[in-house]
Amino acid sequence: MRAGRLVSLLLLLQARGRMTAQALADELEVSVRTVYRDVESLGAAGVPIYADRGPTGGYQLLDGYRTRLTGLTGAEAGTLFLAGMPGPAAELGLGSLLATAELKLRAALPGELAERADLIRDRFHLDAPGWFRADEPVPHLATVAGAVWDGRRLRIRYRRWKQPREVDRELNPLGVVLKAGRWYLVGEWNDRVTTYRVTNVLESAVLDEPATRPPGFDLAGFWREWTERYERSVYTAEATVRVSPDALRTMPFVFAPEMSRVAHTAAGPPGPDGWRTTVVPIESLRHGHLELLKFGAEVEVLGPPELRARFAASARDLAALYQVSSGSGAVDSSADGEVDGSGSPSVGSSAGGTVVDSADGLLGTAGDEVTTGDGDADRRAGGDGEGEGLSGGRGAACLTGVPAAGGTVRSMIGSAVSDASPAP
């Protein structure tokens, strides 16, 4: 324990230069008195460490002194090779550098440690992206990463979810983050730190002007706080549903983790038919409609009433869609395809193919184009319109309407949502 702490203290001074006793104590999570004793022990062992007195003083190593990489344990040596992810490194333009660094590190390790590192690399492989997600095109990633690395301001043209869809930004790039196979730029614009999805960068250019960083900015800390805040803000409503045993059992494979967790926790006792009543957190009525449609007739929506009305409309749409079509290829569910027996707009179509939505305008009229998406949070990402698209869609396809004459229904499967209207 103490030997490892001494090595850590030595490496801290080597990496950071002068550090106060209090700063060393904070890093090592020990008392200042323990730091004093450790520094004396290092000096007695021949390490050229000295102290400068005064308010700006601290401990530091003699100029030119470097320790060799001899303090690694077998487990530590192996984990260094687990840290190498060739795919993301190649996207950053660092693939060859990473390979060269691994070769040099491997050659510098003693025989036993080198064999252990080879064993771990042969038996463990890290694959960051989630299932059923194709690699995103990130042609501007190298430029963005170069601006971050060189500390230069960055000019980008960016596609966001709200109007105007395309905006120009000159910002201070603060870091890049790889999250579930997706690259994000963290940048400061107009004194506000936010995130930008790199695949939505349309143009990029590094400026000659040096970038500035907010005092004390910590990339890992910002990202942790930002993602926690985002995840808390996503689910602003909930749906009350009855679910079959099969639906409840398969929710972890269909829903986002938080949705599945809450649904299982809130599930009541099974009824005579085995179905249970539970609640499901949703981002909006639109999001709940699309997510719960994945289960078809295995889920009955009880509330809120607006969401139940959407499902009733979808059921009528599907029933009309799968009726025998007329000679012209249009579906006709009533005499004239416009009004049903109750006087409400019909989801059927006339010979001309006109379709009217009976719920809330999800269907197009003549000449319209209807675009459906797969999660408002994928566009909104916190609602600021800048860092949208955290997950880029959850990969589900839903039919929300029948196209009108001359119209189109486009289902967005795992891609960016093109609807420019804000979330409900």
Side-chain angles (χ1 to χ4, degrees), residues 28-300:
L28 300 173
E29 297 181 350
V30 296
S31 66
V32 173
R33 185 175 295 277
T34 299
V35 170
Y36 293 154
R37 290 197 298 266
D38 288 348
V39 168
E40 291 178 0
S41 298
L42 287 173
V47 175
I49 183 172
Y50 65 94
D52 287 328
R53 307 296 180 184
T56 61
Y59 292 109
Q60 69 181 87
L61 297 172
L62 187 68
D63 290 345
Y65 178 82
R66 307 287 294 177
T67 182
R68 293 183 177 275
L69 191 65
T70 56
L72 284 177
T73 67
E76 291 168 344
T79 56
L80 288 177
F81 287 91
L82 278 180
M85 300 175 66
E91 290 178 328
L92 287 169
L94 302 175
S96 60
L97 294 178
L98 174 64
T100 302
E102 284 194 354
L103 286 174
K104 290 181 178 179
L105 177 59
R106 169 66 174 77
L109 292 173
E112 181 181 350
L113 296 185
E115 292 175 2
R116 185 179 182 88
D118 290 340
L119 183 65
I120 290 179
R121 185 168 54 181
D122 289 342
R123 299 190 181 186
F124 294 92
H125 176 69
L126 301 180
D127 185 12
W131 286 103
F132 308 111
R133 291 191 181 274
D135 292 337
E136 284 190 335
V138 282
H140 297 279
L141 178 60
T143 302
V144 168
V148 171
W149 182 256
D150 295 332
R152 297 288 181 182
R153 284 178 59 82
L154 181 69
R155 179 189 297 122
I156 62 173
R157 186 162 186 80
Y158 188 73
R159 183 181 65 246
R160 60 182 186 173
W161 68 267
K162 68 179 183 180
Q163 295 291 352
R165 292 279 286 164
E166 295 185 8
V167 294
D168 294 313
R169 294 283 183 265
E170 287 190 11
L171 48 85
N172 294 312
L174 305 177
V176 289
V177 176
L178 178 64
K179 172 74 171 179
R182 303 295 188 245
W183 287 101
Y184 298 88
L185 164 67
V186 177
E188 182 187 42
W189 178 72
N190 279 357
D191 298 323
R192 177 170 174 264
V193 179
T194 187
T195 62
Y196 301 82
R197 189 165 169 180
V198 178
T199 192
N200 290 343
V201 175
L202 306 177
E203 300 174 12
S204 63
V206 180
L207 307 179
D208 291 334
E209 183 182 354
T212 59
R213 298 178 70 85
F217 177 77
D218 174 56
L219 178 61
F222 166 82
W223 184 258
R224 180 174 58 254
E225 294 174 3
W226 187 87
T227 52
E228 290 174 354
R229 184 173 66 250
Y230 166 76
E231 290 175 351
R232 287 194 304 267
S233 70
V234 164
Y235 301 110
T236 58
E238 63 181 27
T240 303
V241 298
R242 288 180 67 246
V243 297
S244 70
D246 284 343
L248 191 63
R249 183 168 55 251
T250 57
M251 277 184 181
F253 306 101
V254 178
F255 281 165
E258 181 65 10
M259 295 175 65
S260 175
R261 184 191 67 79
V262 172
H264 278 81
T265 302
D273 56 358
W275 285 46
R276 301 184 180 205
T277 300
T278 187
V279 295
V280 176
I282 58 175
E283 301 169 15
S284 63
L285 293 178
R286 177 180 177 278
H287 169 255
H289 178 238
L290 295 175
E291 289 292 300
L292 291 166
L293 267 180
K294 298 174 184 178
F295 292 96
E298 297 295 313
V299 169
E300 178 190 3

